[in-house]
Amino acid sequence: MAMHISLRAGEKIYINGAVLCADRKVSLELLNDATFLLEAHVMKVESATTPLRQLYFIVQIMLMNPSDTVAARDMFEGSIRMIMDISGDASLLAGLSGVKTLVSNGRAFEALKAIRMLFGIEAEILAGRRHVSPTQAA
């Protein structure tokens, strides 16, 4: 199945570890299965300020540099285990379980999308607006 991607002038895309920059507005059609990340979804290291954002950054490294993922995979395993061990929120745990499965199946792009979906839950927990029920903590 072909994937259509539109880029604005100056926008970057990361495909299979290569960085491409469009010098003008362009549409691309990826005809085979490729690992890619749009510049708009790239998190800068200074934005990785929470446990989930750090996890996102680790998975992003795995996606952007697919030839050197051993250290990143080890970091991912340690990070997700730590987050799951300290979290008592059922929704967050379910989401992280899905993320772990996606990464173990080599689906880093989908894992990034799943992590982004959990940012709201994490923000509520960190702000104290989301409380874990006693049955969830047990």
Side-chain angles (χ1 to χ4, degrees):
M1 184 165 110
M3 170 74 72
H4 296 273
I5 301 169
S6 295
L7 301 174
R8 296 180 303 273
E11 190 173 11
K12 294 177 187 163
I13 185 170
Y14 303 81
I15 302 176
N16 291 343
V19 182
L20 306 172
C21 183
D23 64 351
R24 63 186 79 103
K25 184 177 176 182
V26 65
S27 292
L28 302 173
E29 183 177 11
L30 300 179
L31 300 175
N32 62 346
D33 192 25
T35 303
F36 72 93
L37 187 61
L38 295 172
E39 182 178 22
H41 294 138
V42 173
M43 181 180 291
K44 296 184 186 319
V45 68
E46 58 269 11
S47 297
T49 57
T50 67
L52 279 184
R53 289 179 181 276
Q54 291 166 1
L55 188 67
Y56 184 96
F57 190 79
I58 293 166
V59 175
Q60 172 183 289
I61 290 169
M62 294 168 67
L63 186 70
M64 292 171 71
N65 193 2
S67 63
D68 186 26
T69 61
V70 175
R73 186 170 295 277
D74 290 345
M75 287 174 53
F76 170 81
E77 291 295 333
S79 183
I80 198 163
R81 185 174 29 255
M82 184 265 313
I83 297 168
M84 291 178 87
D85 286 349
I86 63 171
S87 177
D89 185 272
S91 298
L92 184 60
L93 287 170
L96 289 171
S97 179
V99 167
K100 190 171 184 175
T101 299
L102 289 168
V103 169
S104 68
N105 290 332
R107 297 174 55 198
F109 181 76
E110 290 91 346
L112 289 177
K113 290 190 329 188
I115 295 168
R116 279 195 308 270
M117 298 290 287
L118 298 173
F119 284 167
I121 294 172
E122 181 188 46
E124 288 179 4
I125 291 169
L126 292 174
R129 292 190 306 263
R130 189 176 183 113
H131 300 283
V132 178
S133 73
T135 56
Q136 285 180 326

